[in-house]
Amino acid sequence: MPKSLYQKLMSRKNRSLVLSLMLLSGCASYPTSNKSKSEITTLNPLVYEQPITLMEVVDANSSENSRGLITTDILIEGANLAIQGVKSVIDKSQEKFTQTYIGGLNNLKFYSANSKSGMLDPDKISFRGFEISRTFLSKEDNRELAVYARFVLDESKFQDIYFNSKFYFRLDSISVNYSKVKLNDKKWYLPWSWFIKKDYNINLDLDIKITANWIDENGTINHDKPFGQFILPLRKIPMNPDNPERTEYFNKLKGMQVSGSSYIIPRSRTFCTGSNGELEPCYGRGDFNILVSATESSKSDFVTQKLSEHSDDIFNGVKGEDLLNAVNGIKRN
C-alpha cells in the first residue's frame, strides 16, 4: 500500500531537512502581504455641509404625505430581525491565513440640531457616512496606508429615511495596497512553494454594525442598542501591484450598494431653552456608534495546509525522505 504524505514525512532520514525548511517558511511571504507592524485602524465621520431637510427627502410628486406610526420599540425589533437575517460570507482558513482588525466610532451625532417634533424626527440629518483606514510601519519605519474605504449614505434611497425610517450605504471608494493576512510566495529554497499558484489574491469582508444610545420619554436609558448591520464581501482582490486588472477591479466597486440597512437614530428626550429663555421639552441630536470588523483571508496551498495540520508531530520528530518525493507520491496517490 502506498505510503501517505504523513508517513513519508515521518520517516527517519529527512527530519533535519523538513525542520529547516519549516523554519525558513516564515520568510516566504508575498511582498505586499503580512504587513501589521504597529498597525493602526482609524475611522473618521463624514458630515453634510448643509444638513438634509425634509423637502430634500420627500418627493414633491409623491402621493404619500404622512409617515406611519413608528416607535423605537418597533425599530429595535426590526433591527434585531434584520441582523439575524444578514449572513457574513467570511472564508475561514488556518489562523495565519485569516486576519481581523477592528475600528469604531462612539457618540456620533446623527442630526445637526435638536427637534421639538419627536424622537424620530428625520429632519436636519448631518451624518453623511464614514471612512476607515488601516496603516502600518514599514521596515524603514514609514507609516504606510494598507487599506482605505469610504462609505456614504445612498442618496438614491433618501425617501426611505422619511417613509420607513431607514438608511443605506454605498461604497464611495476603496483601495487595498497591503494585506495583513499572509500570502505565500515562491522561493527557490522552499521546494513545496514551487507548487503555489500565482494568484496572489485575498478576500476582504467588512462587517458594519450601527448601535444607538438614547433616553426615552420615561427617562429610561437605552445604551448600545442594535439598529442596523451592513456586510461588504469582496473576493479575489489582486494584490500584485503590477497586475493590470487592479485598477479595473477597484473602479468597478465605486458606487456599489452595500448589503444591509439601518434604522434612523432616535433622539433623546431632553430640555432646550425656549424663545422666552425658559427650559422646555425637546429632543436631542441622535447619539450613535459605528463598529467595523474587517476580515482578510487567503487560501493556503495543499502542501502548506498538510504541513500546518501536522506541524506538532513534525517538530516532535520528523525524519523523512526527500520532501519532493513525498509531495510527488501523495499527488500520484
Side-chain angles (χ1 to χ4, degrees), residues 146-328:
V147 177
Y148 171 83
R150 177 184 172 99
F151 296 88
V152 296
L153 292 186
D154 188 346
E155 297 183 359
S156 69
K157 296 185 177 181
F158 269 177
Q159 285 195 33
D160 248 24
I161 292 178
Y162 184 74
F163 293 118
N164 299 314
S165 295
K166 297 176 72 173
F167 67 89
Y168 307 85
F169 281 133
R170 63 178 177 84
L171 181 63
D172 186 63
S173 61
I174 187 170
S175 62
V176 182
N177 303 317
Y178 300 92
S179 69
K180 182 176 181 179
V181 73
K182 179 180 178 180
L183 283 171
N184 283 331
D185 198 10
K186 292 188 177 183
K187 299 293 182 181
W188 65 267
Y189 51 81
L190 299 177
W192 64 76
S193 73
W194 302 346
F195 300 93
I196 297 175
K197 294 181 179 179
K198 282 190 175 182
D199 289 336
Y200 303 135
N201 299 329
I202 69 166
N203 302 322
L204 173 62
D205 294 89
L206 292 169
D207 186 347
I208 305 165
K209 291 183 173 65
I210 306 291
T211 60
N213 318 295
W214 76 96
I215 301 174
D216 63 23
E217 301 279 2
N218 299 319
T220 303
I221 298 175
N222 298 272
H223 175 68
D224 213 24
K225 297 292 185 179
F227 260 57
Q229 184 173 11
F230 301 84
I231 299 291
L232 179 64
L234 303 178
R235 293 294 172 265
K236 295 185 178 180
I237 302 174
M239 295 304 299
N240 182 352
D242 297 323
N243 187 339
E245 297 179 358
R246 266 180 62 84
T247 300
E248 182 181 1
Y249 181 91
F250 290 114
N251 283 340
K252 286 183 177 180
L253 296 177
K254 291 181 179 180
M256 73 176 295
Q257 295 180 345
V258 183
S259 298
S261 65
S262 175
Y263 290 98
I264 63 173
I265 307 304
R267 302 171 182 264
S268 289
R269 180 63 182 267
T270 185
F271 289 90
C272 304
T273 303
S275 57
N276 58 1
E278 296 183 1
L279 293 178
E280 56 186 34
C282 68
Y283 303 89
R285 302 187 181 186
D287 186 38
F288 72 107
N289 315 307
I290 300 176
L291 179 67
V292 180
S293 175
T295 301
E296 297 178 3
S297 59
S298 64
K299 186 177 180 181
S300 60
D301 62 284
F302 175 79
V303 178
T304 302
Q305 181 178 341
K306 289 301 178 185
L307 289 172
S308 177
E309 290 173 356
H310 299 295
S311 60
D312 291 339
D313 293 324
I314 290 173
F315 280 107
N316 285 336
V318 169
K319 290 182 179 179
E321 277 188 8
D322 179 66
L323 181 60
L324 288 178
N325 290 335
V327 171
N328 290 331

Side-chain angles (χ1 to χ4, degrees), residues 44-210:
N44 293 309
L46 305 172
V47 298
Y48 284 105
E49 293 183 6
Q50 296 294 327
I52 302 171
T53 66
L54 291 181
M55 292 301 295
E56 296 174 53
V57 174
V58 181
D59 186 352
N61 297 319
S62 175
S63 60
E64 301 181 63
N65 54 21
S66 64
R67 307 174 76 218
L69 177 60
I70 300 175
T71 67
T72 51
D73 289 339
I74 293 176
L75 295 188
I76 294 174
E77 182 64 23
N80 287 334
L81 291 174
I83 290 172
Q84 293 172 16
V86 175
K87 294 182 179 180
S88 179
V89 285
I90 299 173
D91 295 330
K92 296 298 182 182
S93 184
Q94 286 84 8
E95 183 177 352
K96 66 179 179 179
F97 295 103
T98 301
Q99 296 288 344
T100 300
Y101 42 97
I102 297 174
L105 286 169
N106 296 318
N107 303 119
L108 298 174
K109 302 306 177 190
F110 197 71
Y111 311 95
S112 66
N114 292 353
S115 169
K116 294 182 180 180
S117 300
M119 295 182 65
L120 294 174
D121 176 12
D123 201 17
K124 299 296 176 64
I125 294 175
S126 61
F127 173 70
R128 187 186 178 195
F130 69 94
E131 54 188 10
I132 179 174
S133 63
R134 185 180 78 86
T135 63
F136 68 97
L137 286 183
S138 65
K139 292 181 179 179
E140 297 77 22
D141 285 336
N142 297 320
R143 186 149 293 279
E144 301 282 350
L145 179 63
V147 177
Y148 171 83
R150 177 184 172 99
F151 296 88
V152 296
L153 292 186
D154 188 346
E155 297 183 359
S156 69
K157 296 185 177 181
F158 269 177
Q159 285 195 33
D160 248 24
I161 292 178
Y162 184 74
F163 293 118
N164 299 314
S165 295
K166 297 176 72 173
F167 67 89
Y168 307 85
F169 281 133
R170 63 178 177 84
L171 181 63
D172 186 63
S173 61
I174 187 170
S175 62
V176 182
N177 303 317
Y178 300 92
S179 69
K180 182 176 181 179
V181 73
K182 179 180 178 180
L183 283 171
N184 283 331
D185 198 10
K186 292 188 177 183
K187 299 293 182 181
W188 65 267
Y189 51 81
L190 299 177
W192 64 76
S193 73
W194 302 346
F195 300 93
I196 297 175
K197 294 181 179 179
K198 282 190 175 182
D199 289 336
Y200 303 135
N201 299 329
I202 69 166
N203 302 322
L204 173 62
D205 294 89
L206 292 169
D207 186 347
I208 305 165
K209 291 183 173 65
I210 306 291

Side-chain angles (χ1 to χ4, degrees), residues 1 13 157:
M1 179 181 294
K13 290 184 179 180
K157 296 185 177 181

